[in-house]
Amino acid sequence: HIEEGETREEAALREVKEETGLDARITEPLGEIVYFYRRRNGDLVRKTVYHFLMEATSGEFPSPTWEITESRWVPITEAQSLLSYKNDAGVVARAMAALGVKP
């Protein structure tokens, strides 16, 4: 989530650091995804996720946690076969296009 006083870009870099242990720099935006989900109490929540193409600049993947069971580098051409959500496949396709990689 974007904390008070943060830009989308700052939040994305912070989240990447917190969740992967990697420092990165943004090379370009990849768009946004909007979806809805229900909280346990039944409230409907609208969520917007902003995606950015990034280059890792330093750091190491952390040990697995309750939230992240595995971290590893894979060729971008293999990434889509590992995804669970259709929206995520579109983000990877946009990243591939930005990098000039053919599917």
Side-chain angles (χ1 to χ4, degrees):
H1 68 278
I2 299 174
E3 295 181 356
E4 187 174 333
E6 277 186 323
T7 65
R8 294 173 183 167
E9 293 80 3
E10 290 167 337
L13 293 168
R14 176 184 49 77
E15 290 282 349
V16 165
K17 178 67 173 181
E18 289 175 3
E19 295 184 14
T20 69
L22 299 174
D23 293 304
R25 70 176 188 85
I26 294 172
T27 59
E28 67 182 270
L30 293 175
E32 63 188 61
I33 294 173
V34 177
Y35 64 92
F36 295 86
Y37 69 93
R38 289 206 181 271
R39 290 193 171 131
R40 291 181 184 183
N41 67 4
D43 289 348
L44 186 63
V45 177
R46 179 183 190 267
K47 183 169 184 175
T48 304
V49 180
Y50 302 96
H51 293 274
F52 298 91
L53 184 61
M54 296 183 187
E55 177 182 5
T57 57
S58 67
E60 294 183 17
F61 288 132
S63 299
T65 66
W66 68 271
E67 188 176 28
I68 300 168
T69 56
E70 180 183 21
S71 299
R72 63 185 160 122
W73 292 111
V74 297
I76 196 166
T77 54
E78 294 176 23
Q80 286 191 343
S81 68
L82 301 172
L83 300 172
S84 301
Y85 300 103
K86 185 178 179 180
N87 284 342
D88 292 338
V91 174
V92 172
R94 288 193 297 277
M96 290 174 68
L99 294 168
V101 176
K102 294 183 182 183

